[in-house]
């Protein structure tokens, strides 16, 4: 076993970590940064922080007195700023010491909230595209200090020297990169300009780009953020924000919601998606910190239920993680998330109160999102539950409309249960809501909180069969032999058979069988098969009286009237199996292998009987 150096050294001897810069850059490129393109964001960020410090020294200077200039001609990439600059001592302290940030120094440490950077490793990202970084800087804090040059190389070596005043007469810093041949994708002039626009379009300091062709520098951020501009009318403002949402996200918003949280210096917009998205799919949001784009996929800025909007915000007080590509989860972020959620609730409330057309279009696209919110938010529940669409025996309807017709609302526990009973329940005058979709059953049960005159109950087989009319005694006696054969044929499925009359007459049979009943019968069967063993004892302890399925034959149907009069036992059994199979198919639930086999066998047997009869 190899012992560390400290085990071989005199007690109390301090050692300094030796840093493999190439290994550290490889770590940054593969595990911290998502793409080499972040090098330009880090350079812009350092320039912005330097300008912030410069304004701190000269608070009376106009906001646009100092700026950032980018240059890229295919052979070099250069970022120049009019910021606070560095002295030679600063260079040794902050550029040659990995992990230390100049923003932590002296009084600036007390003002770090004014700066984007927090970690002091951003300059290393330049080694993702270049083997050498050249920095030329002159300090505004120490006016008589000479200009200083620093050259850092990817092998971990660097040089520092002071230069005559002619090298840089004004305070500020210029960073120059000579890109590697394999970095052309990220350092071509057009790409540098595009990256500058991408990361810096909302920066508060003027940024220009020069591609070396001799023309004037193109502005990277010619206008402030759209929510910071003034407009002649509210309508013009709304159209401008919508156009910005379209530009950023690629869709025309159903509406835009302005976001303004002065306590954390956050402003921006939420764009309501015009179409539904799958539940749980969380779109990323664009988050800028002090104007610099931090992330395009910041899911954590909004709660999970708010998947019907995409946001673009600019904040002052949110903390970035080390990669500066996501947000640090802290109390501030939690408070921002809660406050933005409240803004979305307020928008829904405003639409419900004053814009029914907008509300209708919103609910048509995003009713699932609102349902998920209403489950946990009593205010939204009271406001919107009567307007939310549900699948019912009267078709797709709001609960408010449905409750006007049905004072007792029955709700199923599954989609398949609703499909089994919908036609029969509708003909019987029962008001049934499909409670099988996410949130629906829970929400329907809360309807009496909003409409006290309405009662809600779960639909069970007994409720439905109680609304089916019995046949007269003579008809029951005449069909007794057939019913006995049918029960015997279907005993393998734990299914009873009964004869009733119900509408519509075109339905020959109704299979009433809940998912819970099937599970209980399966558990009972396993207990019987495992009887005597450990699992048999466990399942036996859980055993209940297994509820049976019911095949209810419709005496009003001509086919059923013919079937119950069959006097050939085998044909009677086959017809009962066929009626069971047809009812199982109409229930739209998954078929068990034995049921699929029964449907095939009964069809072939009936076909063979018909052919023999014809011959």
């Amino acid at each position: 076993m190899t012992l560390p150096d400290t085990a071989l050294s005199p007690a109390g001897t301090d050692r300094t970590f030796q840093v493999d810069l190439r290994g550290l850059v490889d770590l940054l490129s593969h595990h911290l940064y998502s793409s080499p393109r972040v090098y330009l964001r880090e350079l812009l960020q350092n320039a912005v922080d330097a300008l912030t410090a410069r304004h701190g020294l000269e608070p009376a200077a106009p906001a646009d007195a100092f700026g950032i200039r980018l240059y890229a001609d295919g052979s070099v990439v250069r970022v120049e700023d009019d910021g606070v600059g560095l002295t030679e001592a600063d260079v040794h302290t902050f550029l040659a010491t990995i992990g230390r940030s100049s923003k932590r120094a002296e009084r600036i440490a007390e003002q770090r909230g004014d700066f984007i950077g927090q970690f002091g490793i951003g300059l290393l990202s330049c080694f993702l595209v270049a083997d050498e970084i050249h920095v030329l800087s002159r300090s505004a804090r120490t006016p008589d200090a000479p200009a200083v040059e620093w050259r850092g190389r990817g092998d971990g070596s660097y040089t520092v020297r002071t230069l005559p005043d002619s090298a840089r007469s004004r305070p500020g810093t210029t960073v120059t990169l000579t890109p590697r041949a394999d970095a052309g994708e990220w350092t071509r002039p057009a790409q540098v300009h595009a990256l500058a626009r991408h990361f810096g379009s909302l920066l508060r300091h003027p940024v220009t780009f020069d591609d070396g062709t001799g023309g004037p520098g193109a502005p990277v951020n010619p206008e402030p953020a759209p929510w910071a501009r003034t407009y002649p009318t509210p309508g013009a403002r709304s159209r401008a924000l919508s156009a910005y949402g379209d530009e950023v996200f690629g869709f025309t918003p159903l509406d835009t919601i302005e976001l303004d949280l002065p306590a954390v210096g956050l402003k921006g917009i939420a764009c309501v998606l015009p179409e539904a998205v799958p539940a749980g799919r969380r779109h990323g949001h664009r988050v800028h910190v002090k104007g610099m784009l931090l992330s395009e996929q910041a899911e954590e800025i909004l709660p999970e239920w708010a998947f019907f909007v995409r946001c673009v915000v600019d904040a002052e007080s949110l903390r970035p993680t080390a990669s500066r590509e996501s947000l640090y989860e802290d109390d501030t972020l939690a408070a921002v998330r809660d406050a933005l959620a409240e803004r979305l609730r307020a928008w829904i409330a405003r639409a419900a109160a004053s814009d029914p057309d907008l509300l209708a279009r919103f609910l048509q696209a995003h009713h699932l999102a609102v349902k998920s919110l209403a489950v946990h938010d009593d205010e939204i529940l009271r406001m919107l539950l009567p307007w939310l669409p549900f699948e019912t025996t009267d078709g797709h309807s709001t609960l408010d409309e449905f409750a006007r017709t049905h004072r007792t609302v029955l709700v199923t526990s599954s989609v398949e249960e609703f499909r089994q009973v919908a036609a029969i329940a509708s003909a019987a005058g029962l008001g049934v809501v499909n409670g099988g979709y996410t949130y629906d059953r829970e929400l329907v049960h809360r309807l009496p909180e909003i409409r006290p005159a309405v009662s809600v109950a779960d639909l069970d087989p007994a409720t439905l069969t109680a609304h089916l009319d019995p046949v007269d005694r003579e008809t029951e006696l005449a069909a007794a032999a057939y019913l006995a054969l049918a029960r015997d044929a279907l005993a393998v499925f734990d299914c009873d058979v009964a004869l009733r009359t119900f509408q519509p007459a075109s339905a020959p049979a109704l299979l009433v069988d809940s998912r819970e009943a099937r599970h209980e019968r399966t558990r009972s069967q396993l207990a019987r098969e495992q009887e005597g063993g450990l699992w048999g004892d466990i399942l036996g302890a859980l055993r209940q009286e297994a509820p049976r399925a019911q095949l209810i034959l419709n005496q009003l149907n001509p086919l059923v009237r013919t079937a119950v009069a069959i006097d050939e036992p085998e044909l009677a059994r086959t017809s009962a199996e066929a009626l069971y199979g047809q009812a199982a198919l109409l229930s739209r639930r998954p078929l068990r292998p034995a049921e699929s086999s029964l449907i095939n066998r009964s069809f072939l047997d009936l076909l063979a009987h018909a052919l023999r009869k014809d011959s």
Side-chain angles (χ1 to χ4, degrees):
M1 179 177 69
T2 302
L3 296 175
D5 289 347
T6 52
L8 304 175
S9 305
T13 300
D14 290 333
R15 299 280 182 172
T16 301
F17 283 108
Q18 301 299 308
V19 177
D20 178 1
L21 190 58
R22 291 190 184 276
L24 182 58
V25 171
D26 181 71
L27 179 68
L28 296 180
S29 64
H30 288 95
H31 299 285
L32 186 64
Y33 295 126
S34 61
S35 165
R37 68 177 185 167
V38 299
Y39 83 92
L40 192 68
R41 183 195 65 195
E42 297 295 338
L43 290 177
L44 283 173
Q45 172 199 289
N46 288 342
V48 169
D49 285 342
L51 292 176
T52 301
R54 180 76 181 271
H55 277 289
L57 288 176
E58 304 176 39
D64 59 352
F66 311 124
I68 302 170
R69 294 165 293 282
L70 306 179
Y71 177 89
D73 62 3
S75 60
V76 297
V77 175
R78 187 164 60 241
V79 179
E80 181 180 6
D81 67 68
D82 301 318
V84 71
L86 300 169
T87 63
E88 183 178 359
D90 292 336
V91 167
H92 283 290
T93 302
F94 303 122
L95 297 189
T97 305
I98 294 172
R100 180 176 295 176
S101 170
S102 62
K103 276 79 75 175
R104 292 184 174 88
E106 303 170 358
R107 293 184 302 274
I108 298 179
E110 302 172 4
Q111 304 166 353
R112 63 184 296 175
D114 294 334
F115 299 91
I116 304 171
Q118 302 284 327
F119 299 92
I121 59 176
L123 192 63
L124 295 181
S125 66
C126 295
F127 286 122
L128 300 177
V129 297
D131 288 326
E132 183 175 282
I133 305 171
H134 176 256
V135 178
L136 180 63
S137 188
R138 186 182 184 92
S139 176
R141 188 174 283 112
T142 310
D144 57 347
V148 59
E149 176 191 68
W150 178 87
R151 290 183 183 271
R153 288 168 285 276
D155 61 5
S157 63
Y158 70 92
T159 59
V160 179
R161 63 178 181 142
T162 58
L163 301 175
D165 290 348
S166 59
R168 184 178 179 100
S169 59
R170 296 185 303 168
T173 300
T174 301
V175 180
T176 304
L177 310 178
T178 302
R180 293 194 305 270
D182 62 354
E185 176 184 359
W186 307 109
T187 56
R188 291 192 301 270
Q191 180 69 291
V192 172
H193 188 204
L195 290 176
R197 288 278 302 162
H198 180 72
F199 289 118
S201 63
L202 299 186
L203 288 175
R204 292 83 183 268
H205 305 284
V207 183
T208 58
F209 172 78
D210 182 358
D211 62 2
T213 59
V220 169
N221 53 342
E223 295 183 291
W227 48 82
R229 304 172 202 164
T230 57
Y231 300 91
T233 64
R237 182 179 184 85
S238 178
R239 288 190 294 273
L241 295 180
S242 180
Y244 182 73
D246 195 355
E247 175 188 343
V248 170
F249 296 123
F251 64 83
T252 301
L254 187 67
D255 196 16
T256 55
I257 308 166
E258 291 205 51
L259 307 174
D260 187 5
L261 304 178
V264 292
L266 182 145
K267 290 181 178 292
I269 57 171
C271 299
V272 182
L273 290 157
E275 297 177 350
V277 295
R281 179 189 291 179
R282 300 186 66 187
H283 285 294
H285 308 287
R286 290 175 64 94
V287 175
H288 298 250
V289 174
K290 302 177 180 68
M292 182 70 71
L293 178 63
L294 178 79
S295 174
E296 298 172 87
Q297 299 296 326
E299 296 182 352
E300 61 273 20
I301 196 74
L302 286 180
E304 290 186 7
W305 55 260
F307 52 80
F308 56 88
V309 297
R310 294 191 70 181
C311 293
V312 53
V313 299
D314 185 20
E316 296 286 338
S317 302
L318 295 178
R319 291 175 57 195
T321 59
S323 68
R324 288 184 284 276
E325 294 183 343
S326 58
L327 295 171
Y328 185 81
E329 188 70 47
D330 57 9
D331 292 343
T332 300
L333 178 58
V336 166
R337 186 164 48 236
D338 290 344
L340 293 181
E342 186 57 37
R343 297 295 188 276
L344 298 185
R345 290 189 186 93
W347 175 83
I348 295 174
R350 188 166 60 252
S354 61
D355 197 338
D357 290 339
L358 174 61
L359 179 67
R361 285 183 285 127
F362 170 67
L363 291 180
Q364 183 178 8
H366 300 294
H367 59 271
L368 186 58
V370 178
K371 286 179 179 179
S372 69
L373 176 57
V375 167
H376 307 290
D377 191 308
D378 290 344
E379 182 180 353
I380 294 296
L381 176 79
R382 289 190 297 271
M383 188 186 313
L384 294 183
L385 181 59
W387 303 97
L388 291 172
F390 290 83
E391 186 179 5
T392 76
T393 46
D394 291 351
H396 285 277
S397 171
T398 66
L399 289 184
D400 218 34
E401 295 170 340
F402 195 65
R404 293 194 192 105
T405 308
H406 305 281
R407 289 300 180 184
T408 298
V409 175
L410 302 174
V411 58
T412 64
S413 59
S414 67
V415 173
E416 67 182 59
E417 185 178 280
F418 177 80
R419 289 170 177 169
Q420 287 178 35
V421 305
I424 311 301
S426 179
L430 296 176
V432 182
V433 178
N434 186 350
Y437 296 114
T438 307
Y439 311 119
D440 282 15
R441 183 167 174 266
E442 184 175 355
L443 288 172
V444 173
H445 272 287
R446 298 192 66 179
L447 180 60
E449 299 176 28
I450 315 301
R451 299 287 182 266
V454 178
S455 62
V456 175
D458 287 324
L459 176 68
D460 57 37
T463 303
L464 180 64
T465 54
H467 284 78
L468 305 181
D469 296 328
V471 297
D472 59 69
R473 183 171 180 78
E474 291 183 4
T475 302
E476 183 82 33
L477 290 174
Y482 178 87
L483 295 176
L485 285 171
R487 293 185 185 109
D488 183 63
L490 301 178
V492 66
F493 300 114
D494 287 318
C495 183
D496 195 7
V497 183
L499 188 64
R500 297 286 189 273
T501 63
F502 54 85
Q503 295 293 336
S506 59
L510 169 67
L511 181 61
V512 180
D513 190 17
S514 67
R515 181 183 302 174
E516 292 75 13
R518 292 198 303 277
H519 287 175
E520 180 58 39
R521 290 198 300 272
T522 300
R523 187 164 57 228
S524 297
Q525 180 180 354
L526 287 173
R528 290 193 297 269
E529 293 173 354
Q530 299 286 340
E531 191 169 356
L534 174 62
W535 282 110
D537 293 340
I538 294 173
L539 292 170
L542 298 173
R543 186 183 305 164
Q544 303 175 11
E545 184 64 29
R548 307 190 73 193
Q550 268 197 317
L551 179 66
I552 303 174
L553 304 180
N554 187 4
Q555 176 64 17
L556 298 180
N557 183 268
L559 179 62
V560 171
R561 289 200 299 270
T562 301
V564 297
I566 296 173
D567 55 7
E568 298 179 38
E570 288 303 316
L571 181 57
R573 292 175 62 91
T574 300
S575 67
E577 290 172 344
L579 287 168
Y580 176 89
Q582 190 257 1
L585 287 172
L586 290 178
S587 72
R588 301 184 189 181
R589 65 167 171 78
L591 296 178
R592 291 172 284 180
E595 291 173 330
S596 298
S597 176
L598 173 138
I599 291 172
N600 292 331
R601 186 179 69 251
S602 62
F603 170 76
L604 293 175
D605 288 348
L606 288 175
L607 180 61
H609 176 80
L611 292 175
R612 285 197 304 272
K613 183 177 180 181
D614 289 342
S615 62

